[in-house]
């Protein structure tokens, strides 16, 4: 899975979760990677941990809340694994 794929997630009704331009393409970051919208990925920054990304889709939250027995869980932390690139 690469982080650019999150920008192509869709809602249960089939609508894109991330805004698209007139060609149907999501916005790209400085490395030309599609950037997921805030209804899919929440990004937080802290001095202690740096940048962290959380999946916040309804399905992911429901599954994580059930698994961890925590009804107030508000995001599923993504593990950052280096691909060895750049």
């Amino acid at each position: 899975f690469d982080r650019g794929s999150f920008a192509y997630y869709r809602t249960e009704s089939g609508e894109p979760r991330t805004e698209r331009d007139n060609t149907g393409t999501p916005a790209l970051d400085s490395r030309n990677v599609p950037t997921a919208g805030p209804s899919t990925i929440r990004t937080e920054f802290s001095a202690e941990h740096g940048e962290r990304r959380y999946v916040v889709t309804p399905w992911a939250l429901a599954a994580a809340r059930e698994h961890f027995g925590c009804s107030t869980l508000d995001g599923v932390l993504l593990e950052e694994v280096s691909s060895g690139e750049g």
Side-chain angles (χ1 to χ4, degrees):
F1 228 87
D2 72 51
R3 80 178 169 179
S5 61
F6 291 107
Y8 294 96
Y9 277 27
R10 294 185 173 268
T11 64
E12 287 184 19
S13 64
E15 296 296 315
R17 297 188 69 79
T18 298
E19 286 188 39
R20 311 288 173 89
D21 66 16
N22 60 356
T23 67
T25 304
L28 303 176
D29 68 12
S30 61
R31 296 184 210 165
N32 287 327
V33 175
T35 303
S39 69
T40 304
I41 299 291
R42 182 180 77 235
T43 302
E44 295 181 357
F45 300 90
S46 75
E48 182 180 357
H49 300 290
E51 182 178 271
R52 288 184 157 186
R53 292 184 183 91
Y54 298 81
V55 177
V56 295
T57 62
W59 185 89
L61 289 175
R65 287 171 179 164
E66 182 178 334
H67 177 79
F68 293 108
C70 179
S71 63
T72 60
L73 188 75
D74 66 352
V76 181
L77 179 63
L78 292 172
E79 184 176 0
E80 187 70 34
V81 178
S82 174
S83 65
E85 297 176 11

